[in-house]
Amino acid sequence: MKNKMSFLPQEGEACPSRCPDNSAFKQQRLPAWKPQLTIAAVLSTFFLTGMFCLSVGVCLILSANSVRDFQIDYSDKCSDCSKLRENSSNWNKECHCSVNFTLNEDILGDVFMYYGLQNFYQNHRRYVISRSDAQLLGRNVN
């Protein structure tokens, strides 16, 4: 009697059209490497990985602690320019703003300067499509 749950043909039977070949590869009977995980191997791998992550973390903390950060608020010092720019018809009028400041300690190494903007959304569609790579590279752009 033929088993109803058997999808593979028995010997002497014809194979249906969607039936895979009866090979070790197609029937997933290939030999495989199955590692034997011992306590010593697992613990040594665990502690070596932990020591590596700990050393990378210490290096990152030491480099982050060496960074000096100074914040200078210049929003009230350049109020004339901000009032001029509130009206969009003044887009072509020049306005220069300079802020003098003195640092209390010397800075060794490279100095990077950033400025922050409020209510500015860099991912806004109108800003993204107005981006000019040539202008950002310092080329003359009309």
Side-chain angles (χ1 to χ4, degrees):
M1 180 174 182
K2 184 177 175 183
N3 185 357
K4 291 182 180 180
M5 296 302 288
S6 175
F7 295 107
L8 296 176
Q10 303 296 327
E11 289 184 30
E13 293 182 8
C15 183
S17 63
R18 295 178 49 198
C19 185
D21 293 338
N22 193 11
S23 65
F25 178 73
K26 291 191 178 179
Q27 296 304 321
Q28 298 181 3
R29 291 184 304 233
L30 294 174
W33 178 64
K34 297 176 185 172
Q36 298 295 323
L37 300 177
T38 62
I39 293 175
V42 170
L43 287 178
S44 62
T45 304
F46 176 74
F47 284 115
L48 286 174
T49 305
M51 292 302 292
F52 173 74
C53 291
L54 184 66
S55 62
V56 169
V58 167
C59 291
L60 289 174
I61 287 173
L62 290 176
S63 67
N65 286 338
S66 67
V67 172
R68 298 290 172 243
D69 184 19
F70 300 101
Q71 293 184 1
I72 300 165
D73 186 15
Y74 59 90
S75 57
D76 57 339
K77 298 174 184 170
C78 293
S79 60
D80 295 337
C81 288
S82 63
K83 288 178 184 174
L84 180 68
R85 297 291 181 233
E86 285 178 358
N87 188 352
S88 61
S89 63
N90 296 331
W91 66 270
N92 59 350
K93 294 182 180 176
E94 286 191 28
C95 182
H96 298 283
C97 176
S98 62
V99 177
N100 297 324
F101 59 91
T102 305
L103 299 177
N104 297 333
E105 59 186 78
D106 292 336
I107 299 176
L108 302 174
D110 295 334
V111 176
F112 298 100
M113 187 170 158
Y114 301 97
Y115 61 93
L117 300 174
Q118 293 179 351
N119 298 326
F120 175 73
Y121 304 100
Q122 185 174 349
N123 291 334
H124 194 274
R125 182 179 171 272
R126 289 178 67 192
Y127 172 77
V128 171
I129 62 173
S130 70
R131 174 186 162 141
S132 171
D133 289 329
Q135 183 182 19
L136 292 173
L137 290 171
R139 299 182 185 138
N140 290 334
V141 180
N142 292 337

